[in-house]
C-alpha cells in the first residue's frame, strides 16, 4: 500500500477537531472557550467559608519579604484569617519593591533573617558617601582671636553676678 501524505494530513486534521461525546458522536464545528474567572471566585469563596475565615479590619499595609531582598507590598489590602486552620488570605493590588524603597518606615517589621540585606544596603550607602575630612574642616571657620583675653581687657567682670 503506497504512502499518501495528503490522506495523512486529513487524518491529523480530523483528530485535532473537537468531539463532544464518544466515538460515534457528532463533531462540533467550533471549540468554545469559556471564561471560568467567576466560577473560580465562587469556588474560592466557598472554600474560605468552609475554613471559617473572618475579615480583619484596619490593616493599612502588608509586606511579604522574599529571600532575594525584594518585598511584595500590599497597600490597603483586604485581609482574612482563620487561625484554627493557620490560613491567611491577603487580597489587593500587589507591588514588587526593593527593600531600600521602603526602608525608613519598614525597620520595625524586619526580622533577623533580613539582617544580611540590611548590611548590604548599609555597605552600599557607606561606599557611595564621600570620605574626605578636608571638606568637613571648611565648614567651621578658624578662630582669629582669643575671647577670654578680650573679656579680661574689658575689666567689667565686677558687674556680673557670680554663678555658683
Amino acid at each position: 500500500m503506497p504512502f499518501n501524505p495528503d490522506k495523512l494530513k486529513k487524518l491529523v486534521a480530523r483528530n485535532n477537531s473537537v468531539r463532544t461525546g464518544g466515538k460515534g458522536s457528532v463533531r462540533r464545528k467550533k471549540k468554545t472557550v469559556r471564561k471560568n474567572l467567576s466560577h473560580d471566585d465562587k469556588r474560592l469563596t466557598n472554600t474560605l467559608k468552609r475554613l471559617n475565615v473572618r475579615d480583619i479590619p484596619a490593616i493599612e499595609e502588608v509586606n511579604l519579604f522574599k529571600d532575594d531582598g525584594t518585598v511584595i507590598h500590599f497597600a490597603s489590602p483586604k485581609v482574612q484569617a482563620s487561625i484554627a486552620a493557620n490560613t491567611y488570605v491577603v487580597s489587593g493590588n500587589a507591588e514588587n519593591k526593593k527593600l531600600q524603597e521602603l526602608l525608613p518606615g519598614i525597620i520595625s517589621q524586619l526580622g533577623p533573617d533580613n539582617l544580611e540585606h540590611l548590611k548590604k544596603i548599609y555597605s552600599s550607602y557607606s561606599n557611595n558617601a564621600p570620605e574626605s575630612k578636608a571638606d568637613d574642616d571648611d565648614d567651621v571657620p578658624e578662630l582669629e582671636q582669643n575671647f577670654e583675653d578680650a573679656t579680661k581687657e574689658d575689666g567689667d567682670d565686677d558687674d556680673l553676678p557670680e554663678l555658683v
Side-chain angles (χ1 to χ4, degrees), residues 14-152:
R14 190 179 334 162
N15 287 336
N16 288 340
S17 64
V18 181
R19 286 185 187 228
T20 56
K23 186 176 180 184
S25 65
V26 178
R27 290 189 181 94
R28 285 189 284 172
K29 303 289 183 199
K30 181 174 110 176
K31 182 178 179 181
T32 58
V33 178
R34 295 189 180 126
K35 295 181 182 177
N36 290 333
L37 297 178
S38 62
H39 182 64
D40 288 342
D41 275 347
K42 289 178 186 176
R43 285 179 48 193
L44 179 64
T45 52
N46 287 336
T47 305
L48 292 176
K49 282 180 185 176
R50 270 190 267 133
L51 289 174
N52 242 357
V53 173
R54 302 284 177 222
D55 286 344
I56 300 177
I59 292 184
E60 297 174 8
E61 68 176 4
V62 172
N63 295 314
L64 301 174
F65 299 97
K66 295 170 117 181
D67 290 336
D68 61 351
T70 58
V71 179
I72 300 174
H73 177 75
F74 291 88
S76 64
K78 180 181 177 186
V79 179
Q80 300 171 320
S82 173
I83 297 174
N86 196 19
T87 304
Y88 298 91
V89 179
V90 179
S91 58
N93 292 333
E95 300 174 357
N96 285 334
K97 293 187 175 184
K98 291 186 179 180
L99 193 59
Q100 291 103 325
E101 296 174 15
L102 302 170
L103 247 188
I106 206 173
I107 290 179
S108 62
Q109 299 174 9
L110 296 177
D113 50 340
N114 293 328
L115 188 61
E116 289 298 319
H117 298 295
L118 282 176
K119 286 180 182 178
K120 289 178 186 176
I121 293 169
Y122 176 73
S123 65
S124 69
Y125 280 133
S126 64
N127 289 341
N128 293 340
E131 295 184 14
S132 61
K133 294 184 179 180
D135 294 339
D136 295 339
D137 292 341
D138 292 341
D139 295 339
V140 178
E142 291 293 325
L143 205 58
E144 295 180 4
Q145 64 181 7
N146 191 352
F147 291 105
E148 292 177 1
D149 294 340
T151 57
K152 288 180 184 176

